[in-house]
Amino acid sequence: MTLRHRSAIGAPAAHEVAERLALLLVRPDIAEAERLGAELARGPVTADRLLAVAGVLRARAAPLVVPPNRVVLDVVDASAHAHTLVDVSAAAALLVAACDGTVAHHGAGAPRDGGEALFAALGIPTDLDAAGARDALEWCGFAHLSRHRFHPTMGRIAHVIAAAPQFFALLAPLLNPALPKRQLVGVDDPTATGPLLDALVDLGAEAALVVTCGGAPFLSPDADAVGHLWIEGQRRTFGNLCGDASRAALTSAGPTHDAARVVATLGGLAEPLADAIAFTAGAALWVGGHLPTLGDARGWAADRLSQGVALAELGGTAGPASAICRSRTAPASASTNPRSPRPPRAAGRRGPGRTG
């Protein structure tokens, strides 16, 4: 049994939130939308409320059929606040795919952009439709699923979202149209890890880790990580105590510059980002069931990172970052991992989303 996080006295009940939200989707009302958003923002984040809103929006989502016989997972930054760090979760999602995982990445939207700016700078498609996303998952092991493409009705409740951006950022893992059964979710508020994990479990998660690392929404070997874990049918607290190091090396300088650093890191160069990307990707591989322990999975991710990853294998093209880092990137070697469940890629096949 999971622990429940009930609404506080005076806060709207979950069923009331669902009814009001469903009505706003049919009959938009700016004043009512702002009231509901304000109530969601003031009240505590609870599993019941998250599930109530997720149920309304999931029922109206565009369908996505994922490739059969694949363990699809997500690695997502669901920060409750905007922050100034490189989107390590998005980079780790690419590394997981390079390690023969299959990642359907569903970004959190505002106040974060869900990785879209970073992926665009890397030349990775960010506006795939259902057919393109399925093709990407089949041949690249990675697809970014944009919120506006798969949840078009969310535009009708823009005023609710604007009034409660933190609440709706935390909804991202619950709205993934690929319905992944395994997820690594990074948040910046340690009090949100329990309710969000409970909601994921109620939606049928087979394994999930919701974690924060010194306030950052990813795992780093240089700062204490805390959170909650669901694995092998058990709910556990999660902790990885490492100290409290400076985050200056992980500070963002804009999507194009960040993408250049990610390209260099994935290319095999010893960037300061490497340890955080490998640690986060390793945790995702562990939660995804690829390896039995976090240590083994982290080591596998670090080894794959040191070999170099070709973004072209993950659906990328020559994005804006390429000109900055062309002279810095190490040549990427092909994966030698024998565990790959993915069929061989067709020679000369264009990456999903490309034309011409």
Side-chain angles (χ1 to χ4, degrees):
M1 297 292 292
T2 62
L3 301 180
R4 306 307 305 167
H5 298 256
R6 296 294 179 187
S7 298
I9 296 176
H15 69 86
E16 179 188 345
V17 171
E19 291 169 0
R20 292 167 65 185
L21 190 69
L23 185 60
L24 285 170
L25 287 170
V26 178
R27 294 204 305 264
D29 180 327
I30 294 177
E32 168 60 12
E34 291 176 343
R35 279 194 296 272
L36 178 58
E39 292 170 13
L40 288 173
R42 283 196 305 268
V45 175
T46 68
D48 291 336
R49 281 208 211 172
L50 289 170
L51 287 165
V53 175
V56 173
L57 296 175
R58 280 164 63 107
R60 294 160 175 80
L64 172 62
V65 179
V66 301
N69 304 318
R70 289 287 174 81
V71 176
V72 178
L73 63 143
D74 193 4
V75 187
V76 64
D77 171 356
S79 302
H81 303 85
H83 55 72
T84 58
L85 301 175
V86 177
D87 197 336
V88 169
S89 293
L94 295 172
L95 180 56
V96 170
C99 289
D100 300 316
T102 301
V103 181
H105 183 273
H106 184 59
R112 304 284 285 162
D113 73 352
E116 288 197 8
L118 178 64
F119 292 137
L122 293 171
I124 291 175
T126 59
D127 193 30
L128 297 171
D129 59 13
R134 188 184 189 284
D135 190 51
L137 292 171
E138 180 70 38
W139 291 100
C140 301
F142 178 83
H144 173 72
L145 311 176
S146 67
R147 175 175 285 188
H148 80 88
R149 174 72 76 170
F150 289 94
H151 290 281
T153 60
M154 291 185 72
R156 302 177 193 171
I157 55 169
H159 289 88
V160 184
I161 297 172
Q166 300 172 15
F167 181 90
F168 280 89
L170 293 170
L171 270 179
L174 309 178
L175 299 181
N176 191 316
L179 307 179
K181 295 297 186 183
R182 296 170 180 266
Q183 297 196 52
L184 170 63
V185 183
V187 301
D188 51 17
D189 180 2
T191 66
T193 61
L196 186 49
L197 181 81
D198 289 343
L200 288 168
V201 173
D202 276 14
L203 288 179
E206 295 175 358
L209 171 59
V210 185
V211 67
T212 185
C213 191
F218 49 79
L219 284 160
S220 169
D222 299 319
D224 293 349
V226 296
H228 288 84
L229 171 69
W230 176 261
I231 197 166
E232 297 177 350
Q234 294 185 334
R235 187 186 195 276
R236 309 174 187 172
T237 57
F238 177 87
N240 189 75
L241 305 182
C242 303
D244 188 12
S246 169
R247 298 192 293 182
L250 300 175
T251 299
S252 171
T256 300
H257 185 271
D258 292 353
R261 294 183 65 191
V262 169
V263 171
T265 305
L266 293 178
L269 297 187
E271 281 276 341
L273 293 174
D275 288 342
I277 291 174
F279 198 171
T280 303
L285 290 165
W286 172 51
V287 170
H290 290 267
L291 285 169
T293 70
L294 176 58
D296 287 343
R298 180 181 171 188
W300 180 14
D303 180 65
R304 183 66 183 89
L305 194 61
S306 69
Q307 296 175 33
V309 175
L311 286 174
E313 294 186 0
L314 302 176
T317 60
S322 61
I324 296 177
C325 61
R326 189 176 294 121
S327 62
R328 301 176 62 206
T329 30
S333 60
S335 172
T336 56
N337 194 326
R339 301 181 179 88
S340 174
R342 192 175 302 140
R345 299 184 180 92
R349 180 184 178 87
R350 293 186 180 92
R354 302 190 207 170
T355 59

